[in-house]
Amino acid sequence: MIVEQNISLKKYNTFGIEAKALRLVRLNSEEDLLAVLRDPELAAAPKFILGGGSNIVITADVKPVVLKVEMLGKRLVSEDEKAWVVEAYAGENWHEFVRWTLDNGWPGLENLAMIPGSVGATPVQNIGAYGVELQDRFESLDAINLQTSEHMRLEALHCAFGYRDSVFKHGPDQRMGASSSMGLAGRALITRVRFRLPKAWRAETGYTDIHKRVVESGLTQPSAMQIFDMVCSIRKAKLPQPELVGNAGSFFKNPTVTADQCADIIAREPKLVHYQLSNGEFKLAAAWLIDACGWKGKSVGHAGVYEKQALILINKGGPSRPCTGGEVVTLAQAIQTSVYERFGIRLEIEPVVV
Ligand code: EPU
């Protein structure tokens, strides 16, 4: 086991923020992690788990020991008449994993193409796009308890998935919703994730952007690979590619309001973009709220709001002076304030601020 010191994290976070890890250990296997946990000093030290770095904003040098998850491997675990179950180690690149499943003829993850980051991070925020969430295809995951070194197998119920939420986003002192499991943030490191891909596959084309593409293409029954291509092309057109423009995806969650609150806002703001949920509440498009407050294209220092999608904050600095985490957080707070003042809605930040 090698403990690297004063390592730049710039290329390990998709925002491209410059900050150092005071100590960093690369985990290429579960055994590497168990070695860290056997070391008395490292075992006792606070730890920060780093996957693809696509959902974090780093505001200072990272003092906890950074555990950089680089475990690789993927396989078909089982197949029966109903479904394929596939598994990937946490360090695999998510998009490449999605492509690999499709290349093998196992559809189901195509709507989640091109989401930046690693497989291990996908359950943490229950990634979602174009009408599909990770929890819809989730089978189970393996994790290692950072305090006891015990291996854990978690099924969906234990993960307490919610909208961009799971048991891995909450501390040990927080009880989680329906399953009443305890928060696992900082307590467990995900090593492998398994997905159930039903053979009774149907293209998921309900989301407006996809629906439009399907109609334009004239395809009556698009294949999973065709949906994959459509998702890639929509994302390329709308979202900045982190290799070119630093960002952490959607910066705020889409807020949920009651029917009364929604009607109240519409009375004042008739163009409000809203969607009814199955429980009668309404989800509002945070991008629309931010856009309506005039934030598109605006900046604080070297942090800015993306011109083509107001929900994305971007790094507008060059290689010699990238934006800082502080600038991103200041911009985010200014956006939260103006959305609150105009609509009475508190936007919740989606990425993890370190
Ligand atoms: N809109 C605006 N201004 C904008 C952009 C959008 O008014 O600048 C309005 C439009 O009316 C649009 C609506 O907002 O129809 C929703 O926008 P979009 O379809 O782009 O989706 P989103 O709600 O902004 C969510 C996810 C994305 C995911 C897309 C597609 C969240 C926080 N974000 O964005 O996920 O890719 O839907 O499914 O739920 C991510 O989580 O990092 C992410 C990129």
Side-chain angles (χ1 to χ4, degrees), residues 252-257 289 335-337 339-341 343-349:
F252 301 98
K253 292 186 185 184
N254 285 327
T256 301
V257 295
L289 301 172
I335 292 171
Q336 284 173 314
T337 303
V339 168
Y340 183 70
E341 283 172 356
F343 299 102
I345 288 169
R346 290 185 196 284
L347 289 182
E348 198 185 325
I349 289 181

Side-chain angles (χ1 to χ4, degrees), residues 194-272:
R194 282 171 292 277
F195 302 87
R196 169 171 290 271
L197 307 175
K199 291 189 172 172
W201 174 85
R202 260 183 342 117
E204 183 60 63
T205 60
Y207 200 91
T208 317
D209 286 349
I210 299 278
H211 182 71
K212 265 196 226 155
R213 295 275 171 143
V214 172
V215 172
E216 277 162 23
S217 70
L219 295 164
T220 47
Q221 289 190 313
S223 67
M225 201 51 114
Q226 284 165 330
I227 298 286
F228 173 88
D229 288 339
M230 289 177 201
V231 169
C232 292
S233 122
I234 294 166
R235 291 188 76 100
K236 277 184 194 149
K238 274 201 164 179
L239 305 174
Q241 285 170 265
E243 311 79 55
L244 307 175
V245 181
N247 75 92
S250 296
F251 205 86
F252 301 98
K253 292 186 185 184
N254 285 327
T256 301
V257 295
T258 63
D260 284 350
Q261 283 172 308
C262 191
D264 209 43
I265 303 172
I266 292 171
R268 287 179 282 126
E269 308 272 357
K271 290 188 181 154
L272 180 79

Side-chain angles (χ1 to χ4, degrees), residues 129-130 163-164 207 235 250 252 254 285 288 291 296 309-310:
Y130 310 107
Y163 167 57
R164 296 295 190 277
Y207 200 91
R235 291 188 76 100
S250 296
F252 301 98
N254 285 327
W288 186 88
D291 205 353
K296 234 182 211 173
Q309 223 294 8

Side-chain angles (χ1 to χ4, degrees), residues 111-112 128-133 136-137 204-207 210:
N111 292 51
L112 302 175
Y130 310 107
V132 176
E133 280 187 313
D136 303 327
R137 308 284 183 262
E204 183 60 63
T205 60
Y207 200 91
I210 299 278

